[in-house]
Amino acid sequence: MRLLTHNMLSSNIKGVANGFPLRIEVEKVVEKQVDFNADFLKNMFAKIEWKALVDASRSMGYSELPGDANPSMLDSDDFLQKFHHALLELHLEEGALVCPETGRKFPVNKGIPNMLLHEDEV
Amino acid sequence: MPSRTAQIRFVSSHPEVYEPCDDSFALVDALLADRTNLLEHRPTLCMEIGCGSGYIITSLALILGQEANGAYYMATDINPHAVKVTRETLDAHGVDAELITTDIASGLARRLAGLVDVIVVNPPYVPTPEEEVGRGGIASAWAGGENGRSVIDKILPIADILLSDKGWLYMVTLTANSPSDICRQMRQKGYASRIVLQRSTEEESLHIVKFWRDFDTQGAASDIYSVKKTGHANLVESLLSQCSQLSFWRHNNGNSS
Ligand SMILES: C[S@@+](CC[C@H](N)C(=O)[O-])C[C@H]1O[C@@H](n2cnc3c(N)ncnc32)[C@H](O)[C@@H]1O
């Protein structure tokens, strides 16, 4: 699971009001190189919850992202490279996503988060 | 030139995962036929709901290929075996997608609302007793409840939430699902629709329907007959006739299923 995906996931348990962002519990992180695409990053920037991305990348052991970001930074190649790496190249391979409100853990195995709910959670 | 669709011999399998079948091939053929439009569409986020073996999302990634500069692919399935098989199928073709085990897009719909440019769905569409829907395993691959519409009718409003303003939805339907009625429902939500492919197999008559937001129809949808004879009205009329064409098919094929 890439951090772009993490940035799009929230806890879906019935009754949970603040299900975002899910806290990441790391067992194993892998890095996979992908082609750099500035247009894609510029496109995605407005859709990303920045703080959630910063915290998520920190919990995955990457702390190069600035705490705050604004669109003017998209002109900086250095910034784009870091954004690219955090958003697309870090994968949570094994671990869990934890609901910020209830503490319920959604397991991540082989890079695939399991968001299926138990009957009493729907 | 590398193949533009997933190759069956590289599609992974599991006893509890739906194997690519006529419906899967029909959807991929429809996507292939629409390739030029898809490339012009320049999708950023593409998503499959109910990916099964991964045949379709893998094919979509191959169809768009390098030319769809940096599109991001996501796929969900309620069956945990299916997403694992999908991972293997993607890997075997050297393409990538983000996979999530979930019910339709549960956990994603809030943040992904209005962001998805292309959604593809081959839903469980076979008419079955309602109790058979969502039992898990291979049965959830096809069990569609009354008129095969149970899961389809849950997917449509979620697709509406997920789709971007320019978003497209491609969906497999069966005559028994009343595609005309589906078109009408979607028209009320402001979507135009077109059957991009129709194929009759021994058992079923498949329609691949493409939906897109039509800002002209949106106003017209609530009050179709008061619309003046403008270009918009003609559009609405052609949509209506398309749907009546569909109900014509339904009446003619309905008895066989
Ligand atoms: C007809 S199969 C299609 C599989 C594959 N996309 C293909 O075309 O070969 C339908 C798929 O939808 C999945 N499915 C059924 N109900 C679902 C739901 N509520 N949410 C997500 N996936 C679901 C099934 O597990 C199955 O893999």
Side-chain angles (χ1 to χ4, degrees), chain A residues 72-92:
Chain A
S72 72
M73 293 173 161
L74 295 169
D75 295 333
S76 149
D77 198 50
D78 179 57
F79 172 79
L80 284 180
Q81 293 290 350
K82 290 173 177 165
F83 182 30
H84 169 78
H85 183 67
L87 196 68
L88 300 172
E89 295 189 324
L90 296 174
H91 292 247
L92 181 65

Side-chain angles (χ1 to χ4, degrees), chain B residues 18-20 23-24 48-53 56 76-79 82 102-104 122-124 140-141 151:
Chain B
Y18 190 84
E19 281 186 30
D23 47 2
S24 328
E48 177 173 17
I49 295 169
C51 55
S53 66
I56 288 170
T76 70
D77 202 293
I78 201 167
N79 175 353
T102 196
D103 184 359
I104 305 181
N122 179 9
S140 13
V151 184

Side-chain angles (χ1 to χ4, degrees), chain B residues 12-231:
Chain B
S12 194
S13 67
H14 182 279
E16 284 184 42
V17 175
Y18 190 84
E19 281 186 30
C21 203
D22 291 328
D23 47 2
S24 328
F25 302 138
L27 179 50
V28 166
D29 286 347
L31 295 170
L32 256 184
D34 218 20
R35 178 170 186 271
T36 313
N37 293 326
L38 278 164
L39 287 174
E40 268 176 28
H41 190 58
R42 299 179 61 88
T44 301
L45 292 183
C46 302
M47 183 170 181
E48 177 173 17
I49 295 169
C51 55
S53 66
Y55 176 76
I56 288 170
I57 190 72
T58 302
S59 296
L60 181 65
L62 290 168
I63 289 169
L64 294 176
Q66 292 294 324
E67 286 158 79
N69 224 328
Y72 194 74
Y73 301 92
M74 308 177 91
T76 70
D77 202 293
I78 201 167
N79 175 353
H81 299 298
V83 278
K84 283 197 197 108
V85 169
T86 294
R87 166 65 66 224
E88 293 165 5
T89 300
L90 288 160
D91 286 349
H93 291 84
V95 290
D96 205 1
E98 288 285 287
L99 305 176
I100 300 115
T101 309
T102 196
D103 184 359
I104 305 181
S106 180
L108 287 165
R110 201 164 92 196
R111 287 274 300 132
L112 269 186
L115 297 187
V116 186
D117 299 317
V118 173
I119 300 180
V120 291
V121 195
N122 179 9
Y125 54 66
V126 179
T128 63
E130 208 54 46
E131 313 83 78
E132 285 179 25
V133 177
R135 277 229 188 118
I138 189 71
S140 13
W142 42 266
E146 196 183 340
N147 300 325
R149 285 283 292 274
S150 272
V151 184
I152 291 177
D153 286 348
K154 284 194 191 121
I155 292 175
L156 292 174
I158 295 169
D160 178 36
I161 292 172
L162 295 172
L163 284 172
S164 66
D165 282 350
K166 68 167 192 178
W168 292 346
L169 164 67
Y170 296 85
M171 192 173 71
V172 179
T173 63
L174 203 63
T175 311
N177 307 142
S178 307
S180 59
D181 180 62
I182 296 176
C183 289
R184 208 174 301 126
Q185 271 189 28
M186 288 299 276
R187 183 153 42 83
Q188 273 158 17
K189 294 186 200 287
Y191 287 84
S193 54
R194 191 159 62 85
I195 316 256
V196 286
L197 190 143
Q198 202 217 337
R199 185 171 291 169
S200 297
T201 68
E202 267 172 37
E203 296 112 37
E204 49 197 21
S205 168
L206 297 163
H207 302 134
I208 312 297
V209 194
K210 176 178 175 180
F211 299 95
W212 64 96
R213 283 182 208 278
D214 186 331
F215 294 98
D216 290 340
T217 348
Q218 208 146 28
S222 52
D223 199 2
I224 290 155
Y225 297 102
S226 71
V227 180
K228 290 193 200 91
K229 281 268 171 195
T230 60

